[in-house]
Amino acid sequence: MTSTVFITGATSGFGEACARRFAEAGWSLIITGRREDRLNALAQELSAKVDVLPLAVDVRDRKAMEAAIGSLPAQFSTLTALVNNAGLALGNDPAPSCDLDDWETMVDTNIKGLLYTTRLLLPRLIAHGRGAGIVNLGSVAGSYPYPGSHVYGGTKAFVKQFSLNLRCDLQGTGVRVTDLEPGMCESEFSLVRFGGDKARYDATYAGVEPLQPQDIADTIYWILTQPAHINVNRLEVMPVNQAWAGFAVNRQK
Ligand code: NDP
Ligand code: 8X3
């Protein structure tokens, strides 16, 4: 039987690389994202190899998600895998000067969107049972604090704990859950974070040799194709040139 993966945020970065990686391995794809033109172009390209269903939907829109998932064709009554990838960071200014709308958008996308997708697809993953799996895109920002990470890091800490908690509730179903926690990876992520500022994007990655979306797609594919008795709980991946800084100490004059 052909395996099927549902990937959120497949219009760029990790999600797009993932769609290509799984198509290469012959999996059927359900791909989502808001930018319909990109989604349809990817679907058209990959449908030369595998079955692809594009769903142009905003993960923050609970009703639209319910409608899209509720009307999946019968062939998708079971799902092998879910990659909860859609997400974003907005800005990295200090908390007191942040826009509350940006904070809300991160919470709505990275937390609530991931929850809607997960809850709505759980019955199909459980129907597949043994060998099915969920990979949630957490981040090193969910474990290590840094200035300007505030809500973004907070959403990824939620994703980590939710993933571990979900594992407990899925005991006996055969469905695996992984929190994948990448460090710096070169993608549109930084263009989105810095409001399209290409100079800040370039400065972010300059001289680092950051991870590439293909690296993360290969890791996700590896996680989801482990033997059915193995659950990768959490996996941190960083570029060699990224590590941790020390504690910040404020010295009184
Ligand atoms: P990109 O900006 O390249 O891709 C983000 C994807 O999410 C796009 O396809 C975008 O599609 C989709 N998306 C964003 N908001 C929504 C929404 N409201 N509804 C539906 N889709 C949405 O970023 P990356 O590929 O780098 O990031 C993917 C995930 O990995 C994110 O969760 C990010 O937090 C996480 N991550 C990224 C790291 C990095 O350094 N790049 C490191 C660690 C984690 P569209 O705009 O078309 O809707
Ligand atoms: C994004 C990785 O290092 O920019 O999740 O916080 S980092």
Side-chain angles (χ1 to χ4, degrees), residues 8-15 32-36 38 57-60 84-89 109-110 137-140 152 156 180-190 192 205 213:
T8 65
T11 54
S12 64
F14 303 170
T32 81
R34 293 166 299 177
R35 287 170 290 181
E36 201 166 4
R38 286 195 184 201
V57 64
D58 185 326
V59 290
R60 295 171 298 175
N84 266 320
N85 165 76
L88 78 175
T109 310
N110 302 357
L137 265 297
S139 166
V140 293
Y152 177 68
K156 295 303 185 179
L180 176 58
E181 304 164 10
M184 185 189 283
C185 183
E186 183 173 7
S187 74
E188 283 180 20
F189 175 84
S190 292
V192 172
Y205 303 118

Side-chain angles (χ1 to χ4, degrees), residues 15 61 102 119 123 131 140 145 147 149 194 203 210-211 215-216 231 240 246:
D61 186 338
D102 286 347
R119 180 63 189 90
V140 293
S149 175
F194 301 129
L211 300 173
D215 302 325
I216 300 303
N231 194 106
V240 170

Side-chain angles (χ1 to χ4, degrees), residues 154-182:
T155 65
K156 295 303 185 179
F158 175 92
V159 171
K160 173 171 60 182
Q161 195 60 32
F162 176 66
S163 304
L164 297 175
N165 291 345
L166 191 56
R167 272 217 67 210
C168 301
D169 287 358
L170 293 179
Q171 275 295 287
T173 67
V175 179
R176 288 112 32 111
V177 186
T178 301
D179 186 44
L180 176 58
E181 304 164 10

